[in-house]
Amino acid sequence: MGVPSAWRKQLPSSVKGRDLALALVRFFEPDVFVEAENGLADKLGIRGDAHSFRRRVIPLAEFHSDTEGTGADFLLGQDVFELYQYRYKRELRFVPKHNDRKFAYVEKGDPRRAIFEASVGVFPNEKAVEYFRRGYGEAFEPETLEATAASYLKILEGKYATPFHVGSHGIETNYRDGWDPTVFVFDSSSVPDLIDYWNVALFKRVVPLDIAWFGTAIEFLRAFIERTHRPLPGNPHGVMIHTTLEFGRSISEKTARDAIDLLTDSGQRPLPQHSFSIKLWYDQIWHTDWRHGGVQPRLARLEAAEDDIEPTVSIDNPNFQFKPLAPKFARRFGRGTNHARWANVLTLNDYSGESGLAITYPPNVVATDVPRLTISEPTIVSREGFVLLQQMRHGREFISLQPQKTAFITWFESRGLKAKPSDPGRNADEVIRAVGGLRACSIFADAPTLELMERMAKSVHERKSGTVEEFPDRTAGVAQWKQILDRRKSGGKAWSAPGLSAFTDRNVIRLGLSVRCPKCGQNNWYDLSTVDYEVACQRCLRSFPFPQGNLSFKEKDWRYRLVGPFSHANHAMGAYSTVLSLRALGATLHVGHEVLTYSTGLLLESDTLGPNPLEVDFVAWYRAGEKFWINPAPSLVFGESKSFGSKAFDRRSIQRLKRLAELFPGCFLVFSTLKESLAPEETKLIRSLAQWGRGLRNGEHRALVIVLTATELFSEWHVPQTWKAKGGKHAALTAHPSTHMDDLWELASLTQQVYLDMGSYDSELIDRFKRKQRRH
């Protein structure tokens, strides 16, 4: 695949045609594809599901066919003839000659120029679709216009409605590029310029103008610029709306500046100052890294209808159904073998954050093999949500959501990796389930609390001989627990500090009685269900009468013991660090609503990984809130979590995550610990990986490293506020209101500066630029 010469000057020399095509696919996220040449989709790796009866990739030659003289049978898209019939019957049949607005039909003009075909709509001459022209004429009684500059300017001035206007009936186009309009001046005889116009109209308010008619359109342009130059609604600072004159990439700079000279000729009245600007480049919609500068273009959102549904789903019942939205004018069934007439976009939100179901996935528009959320069809995932292609009205959609761990296991399998839960991962799942979700794991966000629980946990020792000794978990008195929790309440945030009931109600600890055995002299702990008039010693196994008369009936006789997944040693097999890391990502980075699909520990296996499984403590798809400069897709996050070990992160930890970064370039690597700071040896190792991860691969960072310590994991409510309250470097880096810690790219930069003593990304870019200048 080659790159048109008109586009090459704006692209790095290393970018090939395939690279550019895939970048455009990532930006536009098409639901379906029509191939101009057979085999193009295969070259890009675009495929549907082999078991689906719907085709996402259609050769242009098969796009429509004549069905025995009754009209065209389109494989994709909604037949506009049904709209013509609907509007005529509902709106126009009894209106006297459509007196409010004239409709127009433009005859085919110069075959070398396609301005009318691209921006107005011209009916093709094929016999199979002749009924389009006939239906348009019967419904709207259009005036026939010649394909001239004068006709085109009348249409731009709003004097006529055209086939494109009619075809967009009922569709609300929500642009997200601000108020400033763009006049896109291009050469309609240039295929690259036509493609650029078609694309730019999907993310900007554009007025298309052929460069050949620029001189004829001078008065229209001046009036448009003056009319547009007005105060920005709702802005109290005097900001004005201005017009951008953008020139197509096939047009030389000299031609563009000559055109501007015509517009601003001194013989005419001067245009208002700063009322327009000139743009001689195209928005880099193929770009992948917008955080180093600029504002990422946003696709316009097209909406014909919207509805809210509130299904009740859970791990035990992940299924729901709903009635899809459909155009009012569409017949119940399409013609012939249409594979997709329109689409519904399903956006899911789990406001509780505790359903345990996967509602965030990375986009899969290139290959839709996973996930499969409907009964028989693959599910297209875009940044908007789940795209459900529709064929008929009055149908039903049946959705079956996946448990989060299942979602990751099937996703890894689609990429050639076998994944299964690890033992620590299973225990972390049980911890999350027992307390009621990630947000409830805040009860563990305190070092003294975790230290007390570790002292209470059972321990297992394996001797060199292979003998395993298990020592029962220990108990802690009521007074010890009260002291720990009273200290948390006295920290100034009593409203958020947990009480004893937060632990007992969730079966973290269980109350019982401590009784001394009169036979062997050892203390025993009995939960309330086993207390009887005669009890058995757990050490010597002999029975003795319960000492009813010797109890002091004070708190020292009542003691707590850890139960279930919390009773394991080594901080519940490392579960607390894992769940607090996930809580930070999913709940405390921002007071808004982030969406996190995650899995606790997994073992990954494949031939490429060698004989030993690769263990990851957690993995997540993280969807940050949209910012004005960036609209990121969900990020893939791998985590290595440790407790309080002094030198817990070793070379093996680094190698594991680096291997994952090599398999999944562009991911984020999280090193999290319950400690306040890293050991010097740990800092050196992680810094080396972070420096490697900052390197670029195909214009993107290899993998950005995030470091989370006790400061973030023990944050009571909001990590940015915790940083501000901590003071020092933490506070300095978050002082500016534009700091967004919920953007993982920025979080990585901030934590690398604080915990790894590295410079910011921007400072590194400046240093790199200076070194490059010195070499030249």
Side-chain angles (χ1 to χ4, degrees), residues 221-429:
L221 289 172
R222 292 176 63 85
F224 180 83
I225 291 170
E226 290 174 336
R227 184 171 65 251
T228 301
H229 191 62
R230 63 187 189 277
L232 182 68
N235 187 287
H237 305 295
V239 176
M240 303 289 285
I241 299 174
H242 83 285
T243 301
T244 298
L245 293 176
E246 180 175 344
F247 288 84
R249 286 185 278 180
S250 73
I251 298 172
S252 68
E253 181 175 348
K254 181 181 184 305
T255 302
R257 296 202 179 277
D258 288 346
I260 296 301
D261 288 342
L262 285 175
L263 181 67
T264 58
D265 184 87
S266 58
Q268 305 179 73
R269 66 186 183 280
L271 290 168
Q273 191 175 15
H274 307 305
S275 59
F276 74 97
S277 60
I278 308 167
K279 187 177 176 187
L280 301 177
W281 65 92
Y282 197 74
D283 288 281
Q284 299 182 54
I285 55 178
W286 55 87
H287 201 37
T288 55
D289 187 1
W290 283 96
R291 297 174 178 86
H292 282 313
V295 176
Q296 182 183 17
R298 313 295 174 86
L299 283 176
R301 189 185 298 273
L302 305 180
E303 295 180 358
E306 186 177 11
D307 194 15
D308 290 323
I309 58 175
E310 296 184 4
T312 301
V313 292
S314 65
I315 287 290
D316 297 326
N317 181 27
N319 307 313
F320 67 95
Q321 59 176 293
F322 64 94
K323 180 180 178 181
L325 300 172
K328 293 180 180 179
F329 60 82
R331 295 171 180 166
R332 181 169 186 179
F333 300 103
R335 291 173 177 263
T337 57
N338 189 295
H339 290 261
R341 294 166 74 194
W342 60 86
N344 278 198
V345 177
L346 179 65
T347 302
L348 299 176
N349 286 297
D350 177 10
Y351 293 106
S352 71
E354 313 301 353
S355 72
L357 298 169
I359 62 173
T360 295
Y361 292 82
N364 68 349
V365 293
V366 173
T368 59
D369 40 6
V370 292
R372 185 182 288 272
L373 304 184
T374 58
I375 294 176
S376 59
E377 291 298 310
T379 305
I380 303 168
V381 183
S382 72
R383 279 170 291 182
E384 282 189 284
F386 302 105
V387 180
L388 308 173
L389 302 179
Q390 303 295 309
Q391 293 174 297
M392 62 181 178
R393 291 188 65 181
H394 307 305
R396 304 290 295 179
E397 280 287 359
F398 296 87
I399 304 295
S400 182
L401 301 179
Q402 294 179 302
Q404 298 185 85
K405 193 177 291 291
T406 302
F408 276 101
I409 289 174
T410 56
W411 186 80
F412 280 123
E413 286 178 351
S414 72
R415 281 147 182 81
L417 295 173
K418 182 180 178 181
K420 62 181 180 180
S422 65
D423 289 339
R426 289 191 180 94
N427 201 61
D429 285 338

Side-chain angles (χ1 to χ4, degrees), residues 455-501:
R455 291 196 299 271
M456 296 171 61
K458 69 174 66 173
S459 57
V460 178
H461 295 292
E462 184 174 353
R463 299 184 181 274
K464 291 182 179 179
S465 62
T467 303
V468 177
E469 293 181 296
E470 182 172 320
F471 297 87
D473 42 331
R474 293 169 287 276
T475 62
V478 173
Q480 289 176 275
W481 272 95
K482 283 188 174 181
Q483 182 182 6
I484 289 287
L485 299 181
D486 287 345
R487 181 197 55 79
R488 293 177 69 170
K489 289 182 179 179
S490 64
K493 293 186 178 180
W495 58 272
S496 63
L500 270 171
S501 61

Side-chain angles (χ1 to χ4, degrees), residues 26-308:
R26 283 197 300 268
F27 178 77
F28 289 109
E29 297 183 327
D31 302 332
V32 293
F33 298 85
V34 178
E35 292 181 306
E37 298 176 10
N38 289 349
L40 287 178
D42 283 340
K43 291 180 181 179
L44 297 178
I46 295 170
R47 63 182 189 272
D49 190 288
H51 306 291
S52 172
F53 62 86
R54 282 199 182 116
R55 295 170 62 188
R56 289 186 69 221
V57 180
I58 304 292
L60 183 59
E62 299 178 27
F63 186 64
H64 73 78
S65 58
D66 190 359
T67 53
E68 299 180 358
T70 61
D73 178 12
F74 288 90
L75 294 187
L76 297 170
Q78 167 60 40
D79 193 333
V80 75
F81 187 77
E82 296 173 18
L83 172 61
Y84 297 162
Q85 289 180 313
Y86 177 88
R87 290 198 64 184
Y88 179 76
K89 292 177 181 178
R90 297 293 183 94
E91 303 173 20
L92 303 173
R93 180 164 30 177
F94 303 110
V95 176
K97 298 300 178 183
H98 325 319
N99 52 7
D100 288 338
R101 189 178 190 186
K102 294 181 179 179
F103 293 85
Y105 164 78
V106 180
E107 294 284 358
K108 275 189 170 292
D110 185 346
R112 297 168 299 177
R113 313 198 74 82
I115 182 67
F116 284 101
E117 286 84 349
S119 62
V120 171
V122 176
F123 293 106
N125 292 326
E126 286 90 339
K127 182 179 179 181
V129 292
E130 190 276 332
Y131 69 100
F132 284 161
R133 184 203 312 259
R134 185 178 67 252
Y136 182 80
E138 292 175 354
F140 304 106
E141 299 180 2
E143 181 179 333
T144 301
L145 300 179
E146 295 183 358
T148 63
S151 298
Y152 188 70
L153 291 176
K154 289 178 182 179
I155 293 171
L156 290 187
E157 290 166 355
K159 295 179 179 179
Y160 293 96
T162 65
F164 278 4
H165 290 123
V166 173
S168 62
H169 173 77
I171 298 176
E172 181 180 350
T173 305
N174 297 314
Y175 292 99
R176 296 182 284 175
D177 64 331
W179 288 80
D180 296 337
T182 295
V183 177
F184 190 75
V185 184
F186 66 106
D187 182 355
S188 70
S189 66
S190 163
V191 172
D193 269 15
L194 283 168
I195 295 172
D196 275 349
Y197 162 65
W198 194 257
N199 287 341
V200 78
L202 296 177
F203 61 90
K204 279 187 179 182
R205 296 176 177 86
V206 293
V207 176
L209 182 63
D210 197 319
I211 185 66
W213 294 341
F214 193 93
T216 308
I218 291 295
E219 283 305 314
F220 165 79
L221 289 172
R222 292 176 63 85
F224 180 83
I225 291 170
E226 290 174 336
R227 184 171 65 251
T228 301
H229 191 62
R230 63 187 189 277
L232 182 68
N235 187 287
H237 305 295
V239 176
M240 303 289 285
I241 299 174
H242 83 285
T243 301
T244 298
L245 293 176
E246 180 175 344
F247 288 84
R249 286 185 278 180
S250 73
I251 298 172
S252 68
E253 181 175 348
K254 181 181 184 305
T255 302
R257 296 202 179 277
D258 288 346
I260 296 301
D261 288 342
L262 285 175
L263 181 67
T264 58
D265 184 87
S266 58
Q268 305 179 73
R269 66 186 183 280
L271 290 168
Q273 191 175 15
H274 307 305
S275 59
F276 74 97
S277 60
I278 308 167
K279 187 177 176 187
L280 301 177
W281 65 92
Y282 197 74
D283 288 281
Q284 299 182 54
I285 55 178
W286 55 87
H287 201 37
T288 55
D289 187 1
W290 283 96
R291 297 174 178 86
H292 282 313
V295 176
Q296 182 183 17
R298 313 295 174 86
L299 283 176
R301 189 185 298 273
L302 305 180
E303 295 180 358
E306 186 177 11
D307 194 15
D308 290 323

Side-chain angles (χ1 to χ4, degrees), residues 509-526:
I509 54 177
R510 184 172 294 170
L511 185 64
L513 276 169
S514 178
V515 177
R516 185 181 179 88
C517 174
K519 310 288 187 180
C520 66
Q522 297 296 314
N523 284 319
N524 291 263
W525 180 89
Y526 301 97

